Amino acid sequence: MPSNEINRGDTVGQWGWAWVDGLAWVVCVLVATWLRFDFQVPWTVTAPMSALALSAAAIQILVGVHTGPYTFGRARGSFEEVADVALTVAITTAVIFLGLVVLHPAEFSRAIPLVAGTLALSLMLAQRFVLRAWRQRRAGSRRDGRRVIVFGAGEGGHLLVRAMQRDADSPYTPVAVLDDDPRKSHVRLGGLRVQGGREEIGRLAKRHGATVLAIALPSADAAMVRDLSARANEADLDVLILPPVSELFSTRHMADNLRDLDVGDLLGRRPVALDTTAIAEQLSGRRVLVTGAGGSIGSELCRQIARFGPARLFLLDRDESGLQATQLTLTGNGLLDNDDVQLVSIRDLDTLRAVFNATRPDIVFHAAALKHLPLLEAFPLEAWKSNVLGTRNVLMAAAESGVGTFVNISTDKAANPACVLGYSKRLAERLTADFAAREPGRYVSVRFGNVLGSRGSVVHAFTAQILQGGPVTVTHPDVERFFMLIPEACQLVLEAASMGEDGEVLVLDMGEQVKIVDVAKTLIQMSGRQDIDITYTGLRPGEKMSEELFSPFEQGRSTSHDLVSRVDVPPLEAASLDSVAPMSNQSALRWMRAEALAVAAPEPALRAG
């Protein structure tokens, strides 16, 4: 915070404080002398005493200009200002003490500078602390601005309360502080004593007329944020939150770091620490191709890959609008006028072969897939054509063109599949393992859960329902899912691509599962609409109450990254698909279910009838 902001509102400026401190020296030298002579100072000492007092005042001001108190803006009564003042007084005391030693006037005791220095320092600090306390009390009684209950009496809470009290332009006024740690029950922040834990939110909101709960715990986990948000909602409080510490001091005023609670806060995801060196070695100077580049995951993958300087980045999708949108974010234009953009369906093996032979990618990220569970339950033949046969096509074209690394993007629904999407993605993992077993290069799959904000995610569906006035539909009050943010998922995909061994399925740590109804409630709260109802429609065919990252037959093993585990899946011979020709949705469903649930080795393929 700039110095001209820190002490804004001082009744005296920095030079005013210099004269006040100089006067303190005059008073304290006189008091020390009177004490020395038992308050009966001889008239012969008056002139030397006055000279000593004025000399001490002058030295204090001159030294203070160089040591800080009267040059650098310090928060009034802060540790930095106390240190500057103490250093200045110590130097002044030493100078006048040495002066008396050299000049040794008989009228003075050498103890006078020491006593006077001690008194001067005490008086200077007392003046500053009194002013600081008065300001805090005045700020605490300020009636303008939104009245805020601050949760968190740690460093984040200290900084936030102090910023709101000192900034005259702040739209917030802290009125109470809470913390769950009983050891902080007597702590004061800006004159506000900690008044209990989270259970006091409702009572204090009524008592102080608060309208905002500020969560001043940048490291708060998702469970705590959800609970605090629910309590704030019951007390009719808006919720603001401090972002992670790495984002804190990015604005001019500390209070400006407060932002509205968003759905991402409910996930409590840890920042992903990437091994950028390993990723750069994997991608820099290489030719990279991304299928499904127009989708949510594919487009974010392209944006992150571009940061690592690939020689070429090829975007492949059948969605022309999606391709244009991705190109626009990468290059600033959506002209679609070069061969970096490939309009191809992964169902078309011949065209895929031509594209791979022309582009010769070193690395392939396969993100193209159909993913909407209800539609795939109704049309399993489409899942077969895109997610199974389409993945086989991409694998074949990649192997024939000599790809060095192939990364198949999978889903947690493939772990212990119970739906068409899970069956088809499980088969994609097994096909990738088959190519790993018999082709040069490295073939891996990466498995993760729902991606918050991706096209077709619950956030989009719930938002649309809220805009229409509700109701928001949830299948079951207890249904829960793993969630990730799009950037985080893609970062971990890149990390996994650099570490995965041939044939493995890499499983990303998804944290705790989040209830879908909590996501709905948060979005309703964020919308400001209190008239939106939530209705429950019942679990859909193929839908689980909770998801799994590993099947009962899989044993996760650790990797060099603490957010990534690895498992093996039985390969499914790609050639076996040539003898399978499903002609109906039901025959496609039967075949995919049988092969997806094979544990150790694929059972004989069921012929489509």
Side-chain angles (χ1 to χ4, degrees):
M1 189 176 292
S3 59
N4 63 332
E5 294 287 339
I6 292 177
N7 285 323
R8 183 170 60 179
D10 276 359
T11 56
V12 290
Q14 295 295 83
W15 283 105
W17 278 104
W19 291 110
V20 168
D21 291 348
L23 180 61
W25 263 109
V26 171
V27 171
C28 292
V29 169
L30 296 177
V31 171
T33 306
W34 288 332
L35 291 173
R36 166 66 180 81
F37 290 100
D38 293 328
F39 300 100
Q40 294 181 357
V41 181
W43 67 269
T44 55
V45 177
T46 303
M49 179 181 65
S50 301
L52 180 64
L54 294 175
S55 298
I59 295 170
Q60 171 74 25
I61 294 172
L62 291 174
V63 174
V65 168
H66 295 284
T67 57
Y70 317 127
T71 303
F72 308 115
R74 303 292 194 190
R76 195 62 59 224
S78 66
F79 173 81
E80 293 83 2
E81 187 185 41
V82 169
D84 287 348
V85 171
L87 177 62
T88 305
V89 171
I91 294 173
T92 303
T93 301
V95 170
I96 63 175
F97 178 82
L98 291 174
L100 288 180
V101 171
V102 173
L103 298 176
H104 53 82
E107 301 88 349
F108 283 97
S109 166
R110 294 173 185 175
I112 288 179
L114 301 179
V115 174
T118 302
L119 293 175
L121 179 60
S122 301
L123 182 58
M124 293 175 194
L125 296 184
Q127 294 174 119
R128 287 164 167 80
F129 291 147
V130 167
L131 179 62
R132 175 177 177 172
W134 174 75
R135 281 186 180 163
Q136 289 179 344
R137 183 173 296 276
R138 184 180 66 172
S141 62
R142 194 176 68 187
R143 295 294 177 180
D144 57 327
R146 303 184 67 188
R147 300 173 71 79
V148 180
I149 296 173
V150 176
F151 185 85
E155 187 62 24
H158 276 279
L159 291 171
L160 182 60
V161 170
R162 187 165 60 184
M164 289 191 288
Q165 289 180 336
R166 288 182 177 166
D167 187 357
D169 296 330
S170 173
Y172 306 111
T173 300
V175 295
V177 179
L178 297 174
D179 197 293
D180 284 340
D181 188 348
R183 294 172 297 179
K184 296 179 180 177
S185 59
H186 299 295
V187 171
R188 287 183 177 271
L189 278 66
L192 300 173
R193 184 177 62 82
V194 175
Q195 299 184 52
R198 68 183 75 181
E199 67 279 356
E200 299 293 329
I201 289 175
R203 181 182 67 83
L204 291 178
K206 292 180 180 179
R207 177 180 174 183
H208 295 285
T211 59
V212 176
L213 174 69
I215 302 176
L217 292 172
S219 59
D221 59 27
M224 176 179 288
V225 171
R226 289 195 294 269
D227 184 60
L228 291 173
S229 177
R231 293 174 184 269
N233 193 37
E234 291 177 2
D236 199 23
L237 298 175
D238 294 332
V239 181
L240 300 177
I241 189 169
L242 279 179
V245 174
S246 59
E247 302 174 17
L248 269 183
F249 305 100
S250 58
T251 57
R252 185 176 180 184
H253 301 292
M254 177 67 182
D256 291 343
N257 287 286
L258 283 172
R259 58 169 172 77
D260 290 331
L261 186 72
D262 60 36
V263 180
D265 294 315
L266 300 178
L267 305 183
R269 302 298 303 172
R270 291 174 286 172
V272 179
L274 295 179
D275 183 354
T276 54
T277 301
I279 296 174
E281 291 176 353
Q282 177 83 2
L283 298 176
S284 180
R286 305 292 180 88
R287 299 167 70 87
V288 183
L289 184 146
V290 179
T291 73
S296 305
I297 297 297
S299 60
E300 178 64 22
L301 267 176
C302 291
R303 284 188 285 271
Q304 295 198 23
I305 290 168
R307 294 165 41 206
F308 291 94
R312 294 287 295 274
L313 176 56
F314 299 100
L315 319 180
L316 187 150
D317 206 305
R318 67 175 182 176
D319 180 354
E320 56 182 347
S321 297
L323 283 173
Q324 184 181 45
T326 302
Q327 187 189 54
L328 190 62
T329 64
L330 292 176
T331 66
N333 69 74
L335 299 179
L336 304 174
D337 59 352
N338 59 51
D339 61 0
D340 289 348
V341 178
Q342 299 288 332
L343 183 64
V344 182
S345 169
I346 60 173
R347 297 181 179 185
D348 186 344
L349 177 58
D350 291 337
T351 305
L352 276 178
R353 281 173 164 157
V355 167
F356 274 75
N357 286 332
T359 58
R360 292 288 173 178
D362 301 302
I363 305 169
V364 172
F365 291 90
H366 176 46
L370 297 179
K371 62 181 183 180
H372 286 280
L373 188 148
L375 280 176
L376 296 186
E377 287 296 314
F379 302 101
L381 186 58
E382 295 300 304
W384 154 263
K385 293 178 180 177
S386 289
N387 297 355
V388 180
L389 199 59
T391 297
R392 197 276 305 263
N393 292 343
V394 177
L395 284 163
M396 290 180 63
E400 292 169 5
S401 66
V403 163
T405 300
F406 185 100
V407 182
N408 169 50
I409 309 299
S410 189
T411 170
D412 58 352
K413 292 177 175 57
N416 190 21
C419 61
V420 171
L421 174 58
Y423 300 147
S424 63
K425 296 299 282 185
R426 175 74 172 185
L427 296 181
E429 290 181 357
R430 294 186 58 193
L431 287 168
T432 304
D434 175 58
F435 275 78
R438 58 186 178 81
E439 295 288 346
R442 198 160 50 92
Y443 292 77
V444 298
S445 295
V446 181
R447 183 189 295 172
F448 53 87
N450 297 276
V451 178
L452 204 62
S454 62
R455 287 195 303 186
S457 72
V458 293
V459 172
H460 290 267
F462 290 166
T463 300
Q465 290 174 333
I466 291 170
L467 290 175
Q468 294 171 5
V472 172
T473 57
V474 178
T475 57
H476 192 281
D478 295 323
V479 71
E480 56 186 5
R481 293 290 180 264
F482 292 109
F483 282 102
M484 297 186 85
L485 304 175
I486 294 177
E488 178 192 26
C490 293
Q491 288 167 7
L492 285 173
V493 166
L494 295 181
E495 180 83 6
S498 67
M499 71 166 67
E501 297 182 7
D502 212 12
E504 290 181 332
V505 176
L506 298 167
V507 184
L508 307 188
D509 178 8
M510 299 297 298
E512 297 179 358
Q513 297 198 61
V514 177
K515 286 189 176 182
I516 299 296
V517 70
D518 288 340
V519 177
K521 289 177 179 178
T522 300
L523 288 172
I524 293 171
Q525 179 182 337
M526 290 166 53
S527 73
R529 299 280 299 272
Q530 302 300 323
D531 57 338
I532 305 296
D533 295 324
I534 296 177
T535 61
Y536 299 101
T537 59
L539 291 178
R540 298 169 294 188
E543 186 174 23
K544 298 179 182 179
M545 191 71 75
S546 300
E547 290 294 354
E548 303 164 86
L549 292 177
F550 304 96
S551 78
F553 308 102
E554 294 175 337
Q555 184 63 45
R557 308 187 306 277
S558 62
T559 68
S560 58
H561 197 296
D562 61 359
L563 294 182
V564 181
S565 301
R566 65 182 81 200
V567 298
D568 296 315
V569 297
L572 172 63
E573 187 177 351
S576 66
L577 270 63
D578 294 332
S579 60
V580 180
M583 299 301 294
S584 68
N585 284 315
Q586 288 304 311
S587 59
L589 174 60
R590 287 196 301 271
W591 189 89
M592 287 191 293
R593 181 192 292 126
E595 290 296 335
L597 297 180
V599 177
E603 299 173 359
L606 300 179
R607 297 286 179 152

